[in-house]
């Protein structure tokens, strides 16, 4: 019965979102309440369960998520993202232009969420493609590969941030391992995949694309943009702080760091919330105030950043509600009992569940959160590296982007592809990224 109720809840969720076009957050709350009743949760207890799911999820990630959105917006509005992109493109040169796009998109993608990074970088990609007389998709695949990898593997992006909190994984370890996994994944799904597509779908390299729907993108002059070094430092600062804390803890464990006070300071600065707070303060000063931008203008950028992610926060909270209903309803415990005594890998289990839910629901974040409700009880009885299970969940939640995913339509429209071409390229790219991520997680699991 627990599995049947869960399956019925997922089908109803798909029906409400895809067929009835009901808002995703509202759909999640409705389905969660009905599933709670079906699971036999007492009616007086049900509202508290819904609230606990919402608060438990957002209470952990809202600060990181909100400050991360502000950081990306401040960097973009100051011209830092454009400086990073244009400098790398200039340094790599025409023959290695794809690798320039890969590196630039990866760095910018750390600070910007997928949709925001796509909207910001795609005008640059189209401008460079016109100058070099190549198809936009030739540079678009490397850009999409980098943005997708940072989105599914690296905090402060919503998927890995939320799942790390739900599993109790160390955020710094998730970030460090995530970078190790993301780099080869991007190489495979970016430049290498582009060459493969030329063989079986050459027609996409004749498409001119259309980004008129983005309006007139803002391009900065050289004088208006901050320096390359300070732009890189600002975008990478939260990553540097979190990884530094992780390395310091590793050094402590092997006996090479004996200063408790130094370790406390490093861990404090490397805490994800504090790292994001330090980074946004640093960005506001060096990219804006020091260069003469009025504080009111900077704060307007921060306000717009929060407004743009408001619905995403609610959807994440709604996913947390659904996750909590699954846990309270005993689904996770039931599944854990089914696998008790078996040798199934928690990494494979998490990836499989996330992949199935991603294909069904469309939203990578909702799929990852729903997976947590099923996997958390299993982790209690298994010996697994929580950071790697987090990354496996993130990899599974990005598989097979198709018509129920907003990213699918953005790629289709901006690059001027047909439905068939989008399935044969973007859907395949996201699937390869998911499978590659799983393979590299399993390889890493043999060494850590």
């Amino acid at each position: 019965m627990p599995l049947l109720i869960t399956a019925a809840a997922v089908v109803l969720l798909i029906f409400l979102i895809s067929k009835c076009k009901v808002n995703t957050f509202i759909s999640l709350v409705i389905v969660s309440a009905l599933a709670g009743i079906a699971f036999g949760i007492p009616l007086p207890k049900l509202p508290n369960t819904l609230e606990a799911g919402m608060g438990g999820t957002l209470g952990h990630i809202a600060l990181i998520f909100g400050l991360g959105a502000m950081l990306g917006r401040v960097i973009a509005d100051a011209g830092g993202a454009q400086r990073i992109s244009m400098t790398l493109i200039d340094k790599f040169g025409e023959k290695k232009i794809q690798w320039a796009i890969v590196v630039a998109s990866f760095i910018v993608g750390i600070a910007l969420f997928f949709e925001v990074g796509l909207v910001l970088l795609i005008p640059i990609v189209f401008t460079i493609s016109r100058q070099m007389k190549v198809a936009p998709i030739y540079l678009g695949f490397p850009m999409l590969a980098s943005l997708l990898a940072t989105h599914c593997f690296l905090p402060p992006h919503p998927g890995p941030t939320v799942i790390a909190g739900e599993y109790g994984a160390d955020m710094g370890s998730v970030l460090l391992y995530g970078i190790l996994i993301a780099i080869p994944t991007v190489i495979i799904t970016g430049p290498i995949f582009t060459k493969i597509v030329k063989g079986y779908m050459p027609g996409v390299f004749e498409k001119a694309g259309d980004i008129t729907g983005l309006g007139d993108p803002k391009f900065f002059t050289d004088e208006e943009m901050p320096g390359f070094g300070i732009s890189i430092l600002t975008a990478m600062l939260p990553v540097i702080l979190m990884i530094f804390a992780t390395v310091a803890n590793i050094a402590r464990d092997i006996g090479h760091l004996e200063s408790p006070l130094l370790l406390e300071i490093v861990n404090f600065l490397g805490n994800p919330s504090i790292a994001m707070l330090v980074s946004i303060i640093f960005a506001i000063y060096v990219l804006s105030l020091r260069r003469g931008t009025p504080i009111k203008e900077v704060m307007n950028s921060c306000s717009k950043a929060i407004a743009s992610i408001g619905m995403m926060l609610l959807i994440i909270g709604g996913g947390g509600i659904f996750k909590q209903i699954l846990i309270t309803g005993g689904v996770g415990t039931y599944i854990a009992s089914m696998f008790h005594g078996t040798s199934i890998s928690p990494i494979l289990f998490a990836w499989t569940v996330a992949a199935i839910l991603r294909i069904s629901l469309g939203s990578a974040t909702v799929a990852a959160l729903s997976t947590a409700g099923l996997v958390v009880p299993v982790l209690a009885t298994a010996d697994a590296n929580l950071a790697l299970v987090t990354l496996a969940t993130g990899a599974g939640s990005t598989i097979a982007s198709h018509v129920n995913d907003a990213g699918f339509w953005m790629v289709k429209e901006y690059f001027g592809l047909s439905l068939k071409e989008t399935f044969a390229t973007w859907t395949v790219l996201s699937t390869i990224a998911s499978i590659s991520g799983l393979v590299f997680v399993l390889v890493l699991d043999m060494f850590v």
Side-chain angles (χ1 to χ4, degrees):
M1 281 303 294
L3 294 182
L4 288 175
I5 294 172
T6 302
V10 171
V11 170
L12 178 58
L13 189 60
I14 296 170
F15 177 75
L16 289 176
I17 295 173
S18 301
K19 298 296 182 181
C20 300
K21 307 300 180 184
V22 179
N23 175 273
T24 303
F25 171 68
I26 296 175
S27 298
L28 283 165
V29 177
I30 292 172
V31 170
S32 298
L34 293 175
I37 294 171
F39 283 130
I41 298 174
L43 291 180
K45 185 182 176 182
L46 185 58
N48 291 335
T49 304
L50 300 178
E51 292 169 6
M54 184 87 171
T57 299
L58 291 183
H60 175 72
I61 63 101
L63 189 60
I64 303 170
F65 198 32
L67 292 173
M70 291 182 191
L71 176 64
R73 189 62 179 256
V74 169
I75 293 172
D77 287 354
Q82 184 179 325
R83 170 67 80 184
I84 293 169
S85 302
M86 301 310 293
T87 301
L88 288 172
I89 289 168
D90 181 60
K91 294 295 183 183
F92 274 79
E94 184 174 328
K95 291 184 178 180
K96 298 180 180 179
I97 188 65
Q98 281 192 320
W99 293 102
I101 296 293
V102 163
V103 176
S105 301
F106 193 89
I107 294 171
V108 172
I110 291 174
L112 296 173
F113 301 139
F114 179 84
E115 290 84 359
V116 180
L118 179 59
V119 170
L120 176 73
L121 290 174
I122 205 168
I124 298 174
V125 164
F126 270 66
T127 300
I128 300 300
S129 67
R130 281 196 297 269
Q131 292 174 353
M132 296 183 59
K133 297 181 181 180
V134 297
I137 201 70
Y138 176 76
L139 304 179
F141 283 139
M143 175 194 68
L144 291 168
S146 289
L147 292 177
L148 185 62
T150 55
H151 177 74
C152 69
F153 293 125
L154 305 183
H157 289 271
T161 302
V162 174
I163 298 306
E166 297 294 339
Y167 292 165
D170 175 67
M171 198 77 72
S173 298
V174 172
L175 184 57
L176 180 61
Y177 297 154
I179 291 175
L180 294 177
I181 292 166
I183 290 173
T185 299
V186 169
I187 293 172
I188 292 171
T189 54
I192 293 177
F193 180 69
T194 304
K195 292 181 180 179
I196 295 172
V197 173
K198 276 189 172 182
Y200 74 85
M201 190 65 69
V204 301
F205 294 94
E206 300 173 2
K207 303 285 184 174
D210 182 12
I211 57 171
T212 54
L214 295 176
D216 295 323
K218 182 178 180 180
F219 286 99
F220 297 86
T221 64
D222 191 66
E223 294 75 20
E224 290 175 325
M225 292 185 288
F228 176 71
I230 198 66
S231 299
I232 287 279
L233 176 61
T234 307
M236 297 291 290
L237 187 56
V239 175
I240 293 169
L241 291 173
M242 284 189 274
I243 289 182
F244 192 48
T246 300
V247 171
N249 285 317
I250 293 173
R252 175 204 59 194
D253 293 339
I254 61 178
H256 295 310
L257 184 61
E258 299 178 356
S259 172
L261 178 59
L262 177 61
L263 188 62
E264 284 184 12
I265 294 172
V266 170
N267 279 330
F268 174 74
L269 294 175
N271 176 279
S273 298
I274 299 301
M276 295 308 305
L277 179 60
V278 170
S279 299
I280 185 62
I281 293 172
F282 181 79
I284 288 172
Y285 175 69
V286 300
L287 296 185
S288 300
L289 299 183
R290 194 176 70 173
R291 300 175 64 241
T293 305
I295 185 66
K296 184 177 180 180
E297 185 177 326
V298 182
M299 292 302 104
N300 284 338
S301 291
C302 292
S303 298
K304 290 177 182 177
I306 292 300
S308 67
I309 65 166
M311 183 51 66
M312 175 60 74
L313 280 171
L314 285 178
I315 291 172
I316 291 172
I321 291 173
F322 188 51
K323 176 264 308 180
Q324 189 61 47
I325 288 294
L326 294 179
I327 291 176
T328 305
V331 180
T333 304
Y334 178 77
I335 290 177
S337 66
M338 287 175 59
F339 288 99
H340 181 70
T342 65
S343 58
I344 186 171
S345 165
I347 289 174
L348 282 173
F349 178 64
W351 182 87
T352 302
V353 173
I356 293 171
L357 290 173
R358 154 68 163 182
I359 294 170
S360 302
L361 300 174
S363 169
T365 304
V366 174
L369 268 167
S370 302
T371 300
L374 302 174
V375 173
V376 168
V378 175
L379 295 178
T381 61
D383 181 21
N385 186 308
L386 299 179
L388 294 182
V389 179
T390 298
L391 294 170
T393 305
S397 69
T398 61
I399 198 170
S401 169
H402 61 97
V403 294
N404 60 2
D405 176 27
F408 177 91
W409 297 104
M410 293 176 74
V411 172
K412 175 186 180 299
E413 296 302 319
Y414 292 152
F415 289 103
L417 306 178
S418 67
L419 268 175
K420 178 183 177 181
E421 290 168 337
T422 311
F423 277 118
T425 56
W426 169 242
T427 303
V428 173
L429 186 153
S430 62
T431 301
I432 293 174
S434 176
I435 296 172
S436 299
L438 172 64
V439 170
F440 292 126
V441 167
L442 291 173
V443 170
L444 200 55
D445 188 45
M446 294 188 289
F447 298 97
V448 299

